[in-house]
Amino acid sequence: MPAAPTTPNESKRLAALRSYNILDTATEEDFDELTELASAICSTPIALISFVDKDRQWFKSRHGLDVSETDRALSFCAHAINSPTEILEVENAKEDKRFMDNVLVTGPMDITFYAGVPLVDVSGAALGSLCVIDSVQHKLNTIQRKALKTLARQVIDKLELRRKVVELDNTRTRIQRLNELLVAKEREATQIIEHTPTAMALHIGEDMEIRFANKMMLGAWGKDERVFGMNFKDALPELDKLDFPTTMRQVYRKGIHYEQKEAHMLYMHYGKLKEFYYNYAFTPLKLSDGSVWGVLNTAVDVTDIVKSRIAVERAEEQLRLAVQSAQLGTWSINADTYEFDASERTKELFGFLPDEVITYEAAVNQITEEYRDKVKKTVEAAIKENRGFDMEYAITGLHNGKLRWVRATGKLYSSGDGKAAQFSGTLSDITERKQDEQRKNDFIGMVSHELKTPLTSMKGYLQIIGQRANKLGDVPIADFTKKTQRQADKMQALVTGFLDVARITEGKIHLNNDVFDINDVMRAAEDELRVNCKGAHITFRLCDSLLINGDKDKMEQVLINFINNAIKYSADEPEVTITCSKDGDNALVIVSDRGIGIPAADIPYIFDRFYRVENTHVKMISGFGIGLYSCKEIIEHHGGTIGVKSEPGKGSDFWFSVPLSK
Ligand code: ADP
């Protein structure tokens, strides 16, 4: 038996069939009613709604048949659809050449009669057929044919309806999904608006009704949600003076964006008059035709930023005035590149013209030779080790050749944002002070020098008088002479001290270079003091031999100075202990007393020239504040260090440490 030829527009037909999504769906009463009716009208036991798929025919409804589908090659309907406008009626298939050997005819299904009306949809595609089948021969009458055609149309109508319902369902599902999406988006948008650090409000209409405001805006206004729906003016009388509604109305009418930066506002906020700075904007919200439907008010509170900037500007101005009135120069060195930035005053101090470029090297070049290297090294070390910088040095002016003394102080400022740190500071002219010091020094040096010779001859005469008085047995004169001699010794010590200071300041300190044991210095001091300090308890604790390189007399001078001070600044019965020890590669000498001690605030200055602690105790003890200064210079000239640990009322430990001889 030949299979029905495929329809000429098969792919289109199949696409149309698929568009109904009907294949392999469950049975539906609507369709079953139609097959039942067709079977009844045509008096056949079987009626089917059959759809012709690519390789099979599938029955949406099958009245009187158990099979749900058959091969397309066996299909009667596949024949029927080739003539979409006609009924295919086979009165006796057993005698019809087209079907006589069809297994549906010869087999257990035993088809004899077949009549099928093609199911043609609105697009003209023949999807299948509504057919009636019997195992006995039939011939349909006109009424039956007409009824079968009507029922076939009903099938198509139901199919269309079914598709519409499915489409409708899909559309409804889509709309529902869109709605959910819309609700989610709205929720997201509301959350974003609520949590944004920008205050936002939406105003509608000429009176700028408040339709919505986020928490930030309500906070800025000092209001709550009760203002929603109110006119701006009625809701916010506190802002009347700022006249926002007028501006907003302009934006509303003209459709032009308006904004203000750092606008200053003063208004009552939660019952208190407060000052604010705001960056705010009014943006017209437009429909697609360009008409404005509302105004969006956004505002950012920049009060803290503006106020701190104003404070910084004010501080900068004050600093500028202070720097100006103190005639300070300012400078800054890039810690990486050594790029140098100098104020006009700094340039002036270095002898540059105000509009001249001054580099770090050029500035260093103007420092006198004596200080140049020291300044460079100190600057470099201060930058590297993040230390403070405080130096006095002399400069020869570039153009004027003028010699000036300056004091430079500086500090490393790290930027903290990955940029290079800046080593910045000030420069002050100390020429006058230096000249004063120089004059003072010259004077001290000259006077001391002038006193030295008469004092020496005076001491010589006193010695002779003393010897004579002893010889004559004149005890009172011998005694007076001794006392006078002691006073002359004190005077000589003072004069020597002043001469030392003058020499040190001039840089003329001279040191012998011998190798000696530190214990010898201790012994010499002990001998000297045994004669002069009878009332004090002085304990010397010698150590193993420690050889050092330098000037033994000067070292002894330092030690005696420490011990004399320990006695001087102690109560009636001074207790002084002197120890020496090895401390790494150094010899360490400590002079401990249980005297008045030194306040912490004075300790950093104690080794400065002419420095004395200012208190009633010290005032009663004579001195010039030059002993420790000389000691420091002597120790440092030996490459050593000097210091003190002290507590007021408990005593002091003065120490020095000098390198051991190699
Ligand atoms: P002078 O003793 O002549 O004042 P110095 O340079 O020797 O000068 O000492 C400076 C200052 O240090 C003293 O004026 C005193 O205030 C303080 N000082 C020094 N040694 C001691 C000490 N052992 N105990 C307490 N204060 C001391």
Side-chain angles (χ1 to χ4, degrees):
M1 174 211 111
T6 46
T7 55
N9 47 4
E10 181 65 3
S11 59
K12 242 173 127 186
R13 191 191 70 79
L14 282 173
L17 176 60
R18 301 257 145 76
S19 74
Y20 289 97
N21 283 315
I22 187 83
L23 293 175
D24 300 313
T25 54
T27 53
E28 288 174 49
E29 218 180 308
D30 279 2
F31 291 104
D32 288 347
E33 276 172 9
L34 293 176
T35 47
E36 197 183 338
L37 206 57
S39 147
I41 290 168
C42 298
S43 307
T44 57
I46 298 171
L48 304 168
I49 294 172
S50 156
F51 292 109
V52 180
D53 198 1
K54 189 164 168 272
D55 298 314
R56 60 168 180 163
Q57 66 172 340
W58 177 82
F59 308 129
K60 172 65 184 169
S61 176
R62 43 194 159 85
H63 179 79
L65 187 70
D66 277 345
V67 186
S68 63
E69 61 180 43
T70 71
D71 208 321
R72 179 168 175 172
L74 306 173
S75 168
F76 280 65
C77 297
H79 288 270
I81 60 171
N82 274 327
S83 306
T85 52
E86 291 165 24
I87 293 186
L88 171 67
E89 187 173 351
V90 181
E91 289 174 22
N92 188 348
K94 294 194 165 92
E95 289 174 358
D96 193 311
K97 275 191 197 134
R98 291 173 293 176
F99 304 107
M100 56 176 43
D101 56 352
N102 187 322
V103 68
L104 300 178
V105 176
T106 58
M109 259 194 81
D110 192 25
I111 296 177
T112 300
F113 172 73
Y114 171 88
V117 182
L119 295 170
V120 182
D121 77 355
V122 283
S123 72
L127 310 172
S129 73
L130 167 65
C131 60
V132 287
I133 294 170
D134 201 350
S135 55
V136 294
Q137 189 170 339
H138 271 272
K139 183 169 174 61
L140 297 180
N141 61 30
T142 319
I143 293 167
Q144 284 173 318
R145 284 171 158 254
K146 203 175 169 198
L148 209 54
K149 276 187 180 170
T150 307
L151 287 176
R153 268 201 307 277
Q154 285 285 316
V155 173
I156 286 294
D157 284 353
K158 288 222 179 308
L159 216 53
E160 289 291 346
L161 195 69
R162 196 180 167 283
R163 183 161 74 176
K164 292 248 161 59
V165 168
V166 170
E167 273 173 12
L168 210 66
D169 254 12
N170 286 345
T171 311
R172 198 180 303 131
T173 315
R174 250 198 336 267
I175 289 173
Q176 199 175 336
R177 228 174 278 141
L178 280 174
N179 260 337
E180 281 165 12
L181 205 71
L182 211 65
V183 169
K185 289 273 168 222
E186 200 178 311
R187 203 180 310 125
E188 268 175 32
T190 319
Q191 271 182 10
I192 290 169
I193 291 172
E194 276 303 345
H195 292 100
T196 178
T198 305
M200 284 186 182
L202 176 62
H203 302 278
I204 308 283
E206 285 273 323
D207 289 330
M208 293 299 124
E209 178 204 314
I210 300 165
R211 182 60 60 87
F212 168 80
N214 68 0
K215 275 199 192 96
M216 284 290 275
M217 188 57 97
L218 290 172
W221 289 338
K223 300 285 169 190
D224 59 29
E225 286 166 13
R226 279 175 293 184
V227 295
F228 290 3
M230 289 172 80
N231 290 340
F232 194 94
K233 243 177 153 17
D234 299 338
L236 294 154
E238 299 90 340
L239 303 182
D240 254 7
K241 273 204 188 120
L242 302 167
D243 205 13
F244 288 132
T246 309
T247 318
M248 277 197 261
R249 214 167 290 126
Q250 294 288 334
V251 172
Y252 187 76
R253 284 179 189 160
K254 294 184 182 160
I256 298 168
H257 176 87
Y258 174 89
E259 66 177 43
Q260 280 279 309
K261 290 259 179 282
E262 295 183 4
H264 179 250
M265 297 175 196
L266 196 66
Y267 60 84
M268 294 298 284
H269 188 254
Y270 292 117
K272 266 191 189 160
L273 188 66
K274 278 188 81 176
E275 186 183 38
F276 294 98
Y277 288 89
Y278 273 103
N279 286 349
Y280 72 89
F282 297 131
T283 310
L285 301 173
K286 295 177 185 177
L287 294 173
S288 53
D289 65 1
S291 60
V292 178
W293 63 271
V295 173
L296 178 71
N297 173 202
T298 52
V300 177
D301 184 352
V302 289
T303 311
D304 288 347
I305 300 170
V306 174
K307 281 192 173 170
S308 46
R309 199 190 58 228
I310 291 171
V312 169
E313 280 168 2
R314 215 172 278 155
E316 270 178 359
E317 179 59 14
Q318 281 165 353
L319 187 69
R320 201 183 57 74
L321 286 174
V323 164
Q324 207 176 35
S325 62
Q327 292 219 305
L328 288 178
T330 55
W331 51 268
S332 161
I333 301 169
N334 181 308
D336 291 334
T337 61
Y338 277 67
E339 211 172 297
F340 191 53
D341 187 25
S343 70
E344 269 187 28
R345 174 68 176 150
T346 299
K347 287 184 190 176
E348 187 191 343
L349 292 172
F350 277 93
F352 281 69
L353 300 174
D355 49 2
E356 261 176 334
V357 175
I358 178 168
T359 62
Y360 174 67
E361 287 74 22
V364 168
N365 267 342
Q366 297 315 123
I367 298 173
T368 56
E369 218 177 320
E370 199 184 345
Y371 291 98
R372 196 176 302 143
D373 275 350
K374 201 168 168 204
V375 173
K376 258 177 96 172
K377 277 191 191 133
T378 318
V379 167
E380 278 158 28
I383 290 177
K384 221 169 164 188
E385 290 154 31
N386 193 2
R387 271 197 271 120
F389 169 77
D390 189 343
M391 270 193 90
E392 294 182 355
Y393 52 87
I395 289 172
T396 318
L398 175 71
H399 294 300
N400 50 22
K402 193 169 163 184
L403 184 81
R404 281 186 205 259
W405 278 89
V406 292
R407 177 176 176 198
T409 53
K411 206 179 146 198
L412 192 69
Y413 295 90
S414 56
S415 63
D417 56 2
K419 283 192 215 140
Q422 291 289 326
F423 186 60
S424 316
T426 57
L427 196 69
S428 54
D429 188 348
I430 54 163
T431 312
E432 229 166 83
R433 170 163 72 77
K434 277 283 175 187
Q435 283 168 349
D436 267 0
E437 275 176 20
Q438 183 65 43
R439 280 192 285 270
K440 200 154 68 178
N441 203 44
D442 289 350
F443 177 75
I444 292 170
M446 195 183 72
V447 171
S448 317
H449 193 75
E450 292 300 318
L451 286 175
K452 205 177 150 191
T453 323
L455 202 57
T456 313
S457 58
M458 218 167 90
K459 275 185 70 177
Y461 289 126
L462 278 173
Q463 209 174 357
I464 297 166
I465 297 169
Q467 282 164 359
R468 286 267 172 93
N470 279 336
K471 224 183 239 171
L472 294 172
D474 191 337
V475 178
I477 294 292
D479 194 34
F480 291 152
T481 314
K482 223 178 215 168
K483 282 183 178 152
T484 317
Q485 261 175 335
R486 225 173 286 144
Q487 294 305 321
D489 284 345
K490 271 193 183 167
M491 261 176 89
Q492 196 182 32
L494 270 178
V495 168
T496 314
F498 280 127
L499 273 175
D500 276 351
V501 171
R503 279 199 210 106
I504 290 167
T505 316
E506 297 271 285
K508 286 182 190 154
I509 183 168
H510 172 74
L511 297 178
N512 290 326
N513 198 10
D514 299 322
V515 176
F516 55 91
D517 190 339
I518 196 77
N519 289 290
D520 293 342
V521 178
M522 304 263 281
R523 281 186 204 104
E526 195 176 2
D527 287 346
E528 167 90 21
L529 292 163
R530 193 176 300 125
V531 188
N532 292 329
C533 306
K534 290 210 173 99
H537 303 282
I538 307 174
T539 314
F540 282 88
R541 295 210 179 111
L542 301 182
C543 54
D544 290 343
S545 165
L546 292 175
L547 296 181
I548 55 172
N549 227 343
D551 192 318
K552 190 170 158 242
D553 289 344
K554 290 267 184 320
M555 203 71 72
E556 189 189 324
Q557 188 184 322
V558 172
L559 188 53
I560 290 180
N561 219 314
F562 276 7
I563 301 170
N564 276 334
N565 278 350
I567 298 166
K568 244 166 63 173
Y569 299 106
S570 288
D572 298 342
E573 284 194 11
E575 260 185 61
V576 186
T577 311
I578 302 104
T579 59
C580 67
S581 60
K582 185 169 179 288
D583 180 28
D585 291 338
N586 298 298
L588 173 70
V589 178
I590 306 172
V591 176
S592 313
D593 65 57
R594 296 193 186 161
I596 61 171
I598 303 163
D602 291 288
I603 288 183
Y605 311 102
I606 211 83
F607 295 96
D608 286 357
R609 199 164 52 146
F610 304 124
Y611 192 86
R612 304 199 77 212
V613 173
E614 283 231 5
N615 61 34
T616 41
H617 251 98
V618 176
K619 261 189 197 143
M620 288 160 63
I621 303 163
S622 71
F624 291 95
I626 56 172
L628 290 181
Y629 168 70
S630 303
C631 293
K632 182 172 185 260
E633 289 294 326
I634 291 168
I635 295 300
E636 285 182 353
H637 273 82
H638 279 85
T641 41
I642 194 166
V644 64
K645 230 172 83 186
S646 184
E647 213 178 306
K650 292 207 168 152
S652 311
D653 285 353
F654 275 88
W655 59 266
F656 68 81
S657 151
V658 280
L660 292 171
S661 163
K662 283 177 189 152

